[in-house]
Amino acid sequence: MLKRLILATFACLTVACGSDINPAPKQTVMLASEPAQANVPANDDNCVAEASWFPHSQTPFPDGNTFNGKTNCAFHRWSWQMFLWLTQPVDGKPRFLKMQSPYDMLGIEDRESMLPRLTKSAHPRSMDEYLQAGTEGILIDQNGKAVYYSQYVNDEFVNFIEGKHPDNKINLTIPLNVQQFPADKSFPVNAIELKASWKILAPDEDTRNLYTMESSVFKLANKNGKIVVDDKSSMKVLLGLVGFHIAGVVKGHPEMIWATFEHQGNAPDVPADYDFSNPTTAVSKDNFTFYKANTPYSGCNINPANSPVLKLDQDKQTLTPVTQMCRRYALGNDANQTTMSVPTNIKVVTDLNKSVASQFKDAGVWSKYAEVGAIWFKGPNRLKPGMAIATDFEGDQQLLIGSLRLSNASIETFTQTQSTMYNCFRCHNTSQRFPDDTKLAPLKPMNLNISHAFMNIYFWSQTLQLQASAASTH
């Protein structure tokens, strides 16, 4: 059974055309069959998949200790290889479903169901996610169902936080230890954290091209004029994986490579030549999972959360209005940007997606997913405490490279055009963090703050201490 699936606030998705998961019209992100070029040396001019990655059931782990990041292609190849390795079947399930969640690390036992999240709460009992990237929002699919999210961390991450790693012997699930921990200490090579987005599937939906699993999810309820999570009531549902974030440390890049993948049928790309002076024209004439054919750009990515138009049918567990999703930046880049690395990055992602597609043989539904893009720091070992990372440049030196407008349409639906949030590093940074609850101690500027899973553990552990203290006095 999948544990601790959560609807995160930093992820604001849009979902459309419930039963129209396959097929989807070809978009920039989509894969096309081409002859394999596995024996050709990979570089930015010819970025191809390794023959050793296939068959999918035998993809080797992409060891970050051997990483040589001299080209854009190297970062995207690490991303694709990691996706293939994480989705390999292990005892009948994808490998990533065998990993722990941040809840597991603190022994929290009341998160067996996915937690749909509408707004942040300062209430200590809520155990919601603190300070996640993005706007408060809820993605509603074409069937009126909320999209849910889950988080995972690997053993390298867990052992480091629990003080069982060669690089760290201090238990960082204890807040006082975090407060005394060296601010410039980073996560070790091969530490990874993941986030997945899941759509509730209707009984009549075609699931042949989608990874599915059964899970329980918390219901929503109308209370005091607001829509809230009813964490005392859950329901069993069939879920389809629609989005997948990967963040992992490789040699020389403690900031992590941030890569994201989507199901190919999620949403249309806004055409590069779209006339934004007339946003009432259609983005696409085709239906997608999260987009109704002929919806104009002005109707895309509208966040209904905290709006009086948002309504819940509590008996049916459906919400209105549905969200129409468009992918504002194909492959995580604005084709009109003048940054020299942008054309290179677009070509690399396109070539590698095609190369992987040409070599899929045994991957089944996993061949229906593709990389949207990845982002990282230009140059090695540039992470330091107190970086707000509010710009692509640090002084006169380029800091960010790769997919500079990277968004997963099912995880960052409502942040794609916000300059403070339109790529991973706008929210994942090393600056100081202050919780909503003033009873909790803030988190000092430190390299580990690049991870929201780490930040959640820090604030959640304080919440648990408050709960235990309150219980002991009654």
Side-chain angles (χ1 to χ4, degrees), residues 348-406:
V348 165
V349 177
T350 301
D351 289 351
L352 186 55
N353 277 341
K354 291 179 179 179
S355 178
V356 171
S358 72
Q359 299 184 67
F360 267 131
K361 303 299 181 186
D362 66 332
V365 296
W366 299 113
S367 65
K368 306 304 179 183
Y369 296 80
E371 184 196 1
V372 177
I375 189 169
W376 60 93
F377 283 8
K378 185 176 182 179
N381 300 313
R382 296 182 66 182
L383 188 68
K384 59 185 178 181
M387 298 180 77
I389 315 178
T391 178
D392 297 345
F393 289 81
E394 185 181 38
D396 60 353
Q397 297 291 316
Q398 184 175 346
L399 176 64
L400 305 183
I401 191 169
S403 307
L404 300 177
R405 300 293 181 267
L406 184 61

Side-chain angles (χ1 to χ4, degrees), residues 270-289:
V270 178
D273 60 353
Y274 187 85
D275 182 6
F276 289 99
S277 67
N278 183 22
T280 59
T281 58
V283 172
S284 175
K285 61 180 175 50
D286 299 303
N287 285 326
F288 289 76
T289 304

Side-chain angles (χ1 to χ4, degrees), residues 299-312:
C300 285
N301 308 338
I302 297 174
N303 182 5
N306 298 322
S307 167
V309 303
L310 181 63
K311 304 295 182 183
L312 168 68

Side-chain angles (χ1 to χ4, degrees), residues 38-100:
N39 296 323
V40 178
N43 53 51
D44 285 353
D45 292 327
N46 185 42
C47 193
V48 295
E50 287 281 359
S52 63
W53 298 356
F54 304 95
H56 175 231
S57 59
Q58 298 176 21
T59 307
F61 175 70
D63 188 355
N65 288 297
T66 62
F67 182 78
N68 186 357
K70 293 183 178 180
T71 63
N72 280 28
C73 181
F75 290 86
H76 293 291
R77 277 162 55 98
W78 176 92
S79 302
W80 248 119
Q81 187 179 352
M82 181 62 78
F83 177 83
L84 293 171
W85 183 78
L86 289 167
T87 55
Q88 278 180 341
V90 177
D91 298 328
K93 291 184 177 182
R95 184 188 306 276
F96 73 89
L97 291 181
K98 299 290 185 179
M99 294 180 177
Q100 293 190 56

Side-chain angles (χ1 to χ4, degrees), residues 141-381:
D141 71 15
Q142 292 292 295
N143 297 323
K145 299 292 187 180
V147 172
Y148 289 75
Y149 304 83
S150 55
Q151 283 185 309
Y152 313 90
V153 289
N154 71 342
D155 288 345
E156 199 80 12
F157 185 105
V158 173
N159 290 336
F160 181 85
I161 294 297
E162 293 182 345
K164 302 174 183 177
H165 190 277
D167 288 354
N168 177 43
K169 299 300 182 182
I170 300 171
N171 187 347
L172 298 179
T173 65
I174 301 173
L176 183 60
N177 288 348
V178 173
Q179 294 159 15
Q180 299 173 348
F181 196 73
D184 59 355
K185 183 81 170 175
S186 299
F187 283 101
V189 171
N190 291 329
I192 60 173
E193 62 176 271
L194 314 168
K195 173 156 282 191
S197 53
W198 304 88
K199 169 182 160 41
I200 295 178
L201 298 168
D204 60 345
E205 286 195 61
D206 187 344
T207 62
R208 289 173 297 178
N209 290 337
L210 193 68
Y211 177 76
T212 65
M213 70 171 184
E214 292 183 345
S215 180
S216 60
V217 299
F218 284 122
K219 293 182 178 180
L220 299 174
N222 293 305
K223 185 176 182 180
N224 299 325
K226 294 183 178 181
I227 299 174
V228 299
V229 174
D230 182 0
D231 60 4
K232 303 299 181 185
S233 180
S234 63
M235 57 185 180
K236 292 284 188 180
V237 294
L238 180 65
L239 297 171
L241 181 70
V242 291
F244 199 66
H245 266 338
I246 301 172
V249 179
V250 297
K251 184 177 65 175
H253 290 274
E255 78 280 5
M256 301 188 183
I257 299 172
W258 296 80
T260 198
F261 291 75
E262 287 193 48
H263 190 268
Q264 294 176 38
N266 277 358
D269 294 324
V270 178
D273 60 353
Y274 187 85
D275 182 6
F276 289 99
S277 67
N278 183 22
T280 59
T281 58
V283 172
S284 175
K285 61 180 175 50
D286 299 303
N287 285 326
F288 289 76
T289 304
F290 299 103
Y291 173 87
K292 185 177 180 179
N294 298 311
T295 298
Y297 180 75
S298 59
C300 285
N301 308 338
I302 297 174
N303 182 5
N306 298 322
S307 167
V309 303
L310 181 63
K311 304 295 182 183
L312 168 68
D313 184 320
Q314 192 166 313
D315 293 333
K316 296 181 180 179
Q317 285 293 296
T318 56
L319 295 147
T320 55
V322 301
T323 314
Q324 305 298 339
M325 178 195 295
C326 304
R327 190 178 297 105
R328 174 66 179 83
Y329 299 111
L331 303 180
N333 280 118
D334 183 349
N336 297 316
Q337 281 180 280
T338 57
T339 305
M340 291 302 295
S341 64
V342 167
T344 296
N345 195 69
I346 291 173
K347 174 177 170 51
V348 165
V349 177
T350 301
D351 289 351
L352 186 55
N353 277 341
K354 291 179 179 179
S355 178
V356 171
S358 72
Q359 299 184 67
F360 267 131
K361 303 299 181 186
D362 66 332
V365 296
W366 299 113
S367 65
K368 306 304 179 183
Y369 296 80
E371 184 196 1
V372 177
I375 189 169
W376 60 93
F377 283 8
K378 185 176 182 179
N381 300 313

